[in-house]
Structure formats: structure tokens, C-alpha cells
Amino acid sequence: MPLLKKINQVLVVLLVLLACLLLHSSLKASTQQKKVYRQSHRFAAVDLQPREAETDVVPVIICASEERTGATMATINSIISNTDASVFFYIVTLRDAVKIARRYIEKTKLKGIQYKILEFNPMVLRGKVKPDSSRPDLLHPLNFVRFYLPLLGISHRRAIYVDDDVIVQDIKEWKKQKITKQLEKWMEENFRQNIYSSAMAGGVATPPMLIVFHDKYTTLDPLWHVRHLGWSPDAHYSESFLQEAHLLHWNGRFKPWNYQAVHSHLWEKWFIPDPSGRFTLTRPNSDK
């Protein structure tokens, strides 16, 4: 009997060890899967100024593609010139534009801003965005960054996203409602069935957002945000009307840094020349 009791005790110990080993393996596999997911969806931090952790800071997320870096810098300049708040900029870009964005900031009047450059991995869009030759500019990977805000690794409870027609004021609620998953669902569905195209609702990134954010928004006074300035080179607003607006938005084909855009002088007052000479304004007397 004593021998049998010892054998049973040994067996119990072995079973406990086996269970611990299986649990450890399971947790390790789960951790590896999460690590792979984070790496495939990563946003690499490149630049960081020291005051990011301030509690009173206003975090602003903005994209900067290589061909439109100057436009991003003009937006940043207009923000810091019209607020007394402490603003921290998260500048999201692709790998080929990281150095360009950093140089633009360090070599101009923007060198004193608080910022962090994040590198977006376009591989997260594989199998989710259907090619559309009618508006290839709308298929730029950075046009979909707003879908992946929780992956930016921002610690702030709320942030403002500055791009086209979207302002995000609660990243926490975004995670809670699994907004990214909902957006990806409609992207994948469109990839398979071609539900919408760039001809609808201003581009391929806007339709899924209109679907997911249906009845989940706060109405603003139209004068607060004047839109559609880039829809036509012939549409003009009164100067007094534009002066009263809080936000001027050249959404559409006709951008203010190119020729045949309306009220481009209001945008150009915030433009900072590119120290590298890559980004230039297209004007009637220019060569480009």
C-alpha cells in the first residue's frame, strides 16, 4: 500500500507538470501569434519629442505622403498658428517619406513642434482594397490609415484625426466597438463583390466609413467646417464667408497647391517652402 500511494503521488505530480507544460506552450503560442499580428500591422515609431506624456496635450494625427508632404506641413503650420494649446502631432507616413518629413520639420520654422513620426505598413491592406483605375490617387495606402487608429500605439484617451472629412475624438470607443474590424469587413466584401468604387461618396475609403459610422456622429454648424473647396475650379465663396469658417477643406480633385484650385491664396498663406525642393507649388507661370 505505501508503494502504491507513492506511485499515485508521483503520477499526480507528473500530471500537474504536464498540465503546466501544456498551459505554458499554449500561452507562448498565443503570445507569438499576437506578436506576428502586431508586426504585420505595425506602425514603427521613428521620432519622438520629450513632452508627449503631458496630460494637457492635444494629440493630432495627420498623414504625410511623399508627394504631399508640403500640404501636411501647411496644415500643421495653420494649427500651431491658430491655437494656444499644447499640440502633439503624430505624423503617419510610408518608409520612403520618413526622412523627407523629418527634414521638412527640422529645417523650417516647424522645428519646435512636438511630434512623432509613425511608419505605416501597407501590407495590412492586402486583399482588402480593389484596384480602381478611375481614381488611383484614392488608393494610396495612407488614405486608409484612419481605419487602423488603434494600431498607432497612442496612449492618449482621445485624439483628433486631420484628413479629408473625418475627426476622431475618442480612440477608446473605437476599440470598444471594434471599428477597424467593421471597416475591414466592408473592404473585404467590396474586394470580392465590387460594391462601391471611387465614383461613389468621394472615394474608396469613404463608403465603408459612411456605413460603419451611420448615426454615430455629432452635427456641426456648416460654417465651422467649409468643405468641397476642391470639387470644382469654378466654385467660389465670398471672402467674408470663408474668413468666418474654422476649417477650410479642399476635398476633391482640385488641391490648393496645384493650378486651377479655388481660394488657393487662403491655403498658401500657411505654406512653408520645402527645404529639399521636392514639393513645389503649381502655378500658371511655373514649369510644373
Side-chain angles (χ1 to χ4, degrees), residues 186-204:
W186 287 104
M187 291 167 67
E188 292 169 349
E189 191 67 24
N190 182 64
F191 188 84
R192 291 191 296 267
Q193 301 189 39
N194 195 28
I195 301 174
Y196 50 81
S197 68
S198 62
M200 297 178 62
V204 293

Side-chain angles (χ1 to χ4, degrees), residues 9-280:
Q9 289 176 343
V10 171
L11 289 176
V12 169
V13 171
L14 289 175
L15 287 174
V16 171
L17 290 175
L18 180 61
C20 290
L21 181 61
L22 290 174
L23 180 60
H24 174 73
S25 300
S26 177
L27 290 174
K28 185 176 180 181
S30 177
T31 302
Q32 288 295 329
Q33 289 176 354
K34 290 180 180 179
K35 182 177 180 181
V36 171
Y37 179 83
R38 285 196 298 268
Q39 289 177 342
S40 65
H41 290 64
R42 72 184 181 93
F43 288 81
V46 180
D47 275 323
L48 178 61
Q49 298 298 327
R51 296 174 61 193
E52 179 192 5
E54 289 187 4
T55 57
D56 61 343
V57 73
V58 178
V60 173
I61 303 169
I62 187 168
C63 293
S65 62
E66 180 179 4
E67 64 276 14
R68 289 168 59 163
T69 308
T72 300
M73 300 306 162
T75 300
I76 292 176
N77 186 30
S78 69
I79 293 173
I80 64 174
S81 300
N82 290 286
T83 181
D84 294 327
S86 177
V87 181
F88 191 98
F89 294 95
Y90 290 91
I91 303 172
V92 187
T93 188
L94 301 182
R95 181 170 299 177
D96 58 1
V98 169
K99 292 183 179 179
I100 296 173
R102 184 191 299 116
R103 178 180 173 82
Y104 215 128
I105 294 172
E106 294 178 349
K107 299 297 182 180
T108 65
K109 62 178 289 188
L110 299 177
K111 61 184 177 182
I113 67 171
Q114 302 176 75
Y115 74 97
K116 183 177 184 179
I117 296 180
L118 303 173
E119 181 186 321
F120 179 60
N121 184 357
M123 293 304 294
V124 300
L125 301 174
R126 177 180 288 180
K128 299 183 180 72
V129 180
K130 197 176 185 67
D132 189 337
S133 59
S134 64
R135 290 293 304 278
D137 56 307
L138 297 177
L139 300 178
H140 196 289
L142 294 181
N143 200 30
F144 300 91
V145 165
R146 68 195 86 176
F147 291 7
Y148 298 93
L149 295 181
L151 300 179
L152 290 173
I154 297 176
S155 59
H156 303 280
R157 182 170 177 266
R158 294 181 178 178
I160 299 173
Y161 181 89
V162 183
D163 188 11
D164 291 345
D165 52 5
V166 178
I167 295 179
V168 178
Q169 299 185 92
D170 200 336
I171 294 185
K172 183 178 179 181
E173 193 64 23
W174 186 292
K175 289 183 178 180
K176 179 181 177 182
Q177 297 191 32
K178 297 182 174 60
I179 298 297
T180 296
K181 288 294 184 182
Q182 294 184 56
L183 290 169
E184 286 192 327
K185 170 189 173 183
W186 287 104
M187 291 167 67
E188 292 169 349
E189 191 67 24
N190 182 64
F191 188 84
R192 291 191 296 267
Q193 301 189 39
N194 195 28
I195 301 174
Y196 50 81
S197 68
S198 62
M200 297 178 62
V204 293
T206 304
M209 297 194 75
L210 292 177
I211 296 172
V212 174
F213 286 108
H214 178 64
D215 285 339
K216 299 177 183 176
Y217 61 89
T218 299
T219 303
L220 293 173
D221 186 318
L223 190 59
W224 195 93
H225 180 194
V226 176
R227 302 181 299 159
H228 310 314
L229 293 177
W231 276 32
S232 170
D234 303 316
H236 290 268
Y237 295 86
S238 69
E239 288 293 321
S240 60
F241 175 76
L242 294 175
Q243 291 295 335
E244 292 295 322
H246 293 281
L247 184 65
L248 299 177
H249 192 177
W250 280 266
N251 57 313
R253 295 173 181 266
F254 303 94
K255 304 301 183 185
W257 52 88
N258 292 327
Y259 179 52
Q260 285 192 320
V262 299
H263 305 293
S264 58
H265 66 286
L266 295 176
W267 176 89
E268 195 169 337
K269 66 185 293 187
W270 307 111
F271 172 65
I272 301 174
D274 184 354
S276 69
R278 290 172 176 264
F279 185 92
T280 58

